[in-house]
Amino acid sequence: MTDIIAWKIHRHPNQLTEALTLLALLALIAMIWLTSMRARETATVHCRRACRAHEVQMLDATVALSAIGLCHSAHGLRLRRTYQFTFSRDGVERVNGLIILVGNHVEAIYFEPLAA
């Protein structure tokens, strides 16, 4: 019986390699998706806090990824993500803002000036 199993594995060694490669690829995709969701949640939380500190209302209660790239930081090579969000002073006028994350740390938050 073990001779048959060994023969099947020996006969099709690429199937095992393909299965392991597929599994590794799926794990990589899952890891990228989870870190992206974590970064988006971090950006949303910091935008809410910044909007409260500037006494404006964050609209849509979320951020949207507008750019992604690589950059060097003190911790080595990291993803630099730029998210857009909208805010308003009166709930009517929509103004854009940006938050930039390097890894999971906030690099900067920008608010466009409100109309007087």
Side-chain angles (χ1 to χ4, degrees):
M1 179 75 163
T2 54
D3 291 338
I4 295 172
I5 294 171
W7 179 77
K8 285 185 177 182
I9 291 174
H10 180 70
R11 187 171 170 232
H12 302 289
N14 289 338
Q15 287 179 343
L16 182 59
T17 304
E18 288 173 5
L20 290 175
T21 302
L22 180 62
L23 187 60
L25 182 62
L26 290 174
L28 180 65
I29 291 169
M31 185 184 74
I32 291 170
W33 182 77
L34 286 172
T35 57
S36 294
M37 292 296 102
R38 189 177 307 131
R40 181 174 173 229
E41 183 59 32
T42 298
T44 302
V45 168
H46 284 283
C47 283
R48 283 186 191 134
R49 288 181 189 160
C51 284
R52 272 196 301 265
H54 284 82
E55 297 179 352
V56 295
Q57 176 185 3
M58 183 176 172
L59 303 175
D60 304 327
T62 191
V63 297
L65 184 67
S66 61
I68 190 166
L70 294 174
C71 72
H72 292 282
S73 72
H75 304 290
L77 198 60
R78 297 281 186 231
L79 280 178
R80 184 175 195 218
R81 297 175 175 99
T82 303
Y83 294 92
Q84 256 188 329
F85 63 96
T86 53
F87 66 96
S88 177
R89 181 180 304 161
D90 57 9
V92 177
E93 178 189 14
R94 298 178 72 89
V95 184
N96 291 323
L98 292 175
I99 182 168
I100 300 170
L101 295 183
V102 174
N104 247 2
H105 301 286
V106 176
E107 181 179 89
I109 300 177
Y110 299 102
F111 288 87
E112 285 184 13
L114 293 167

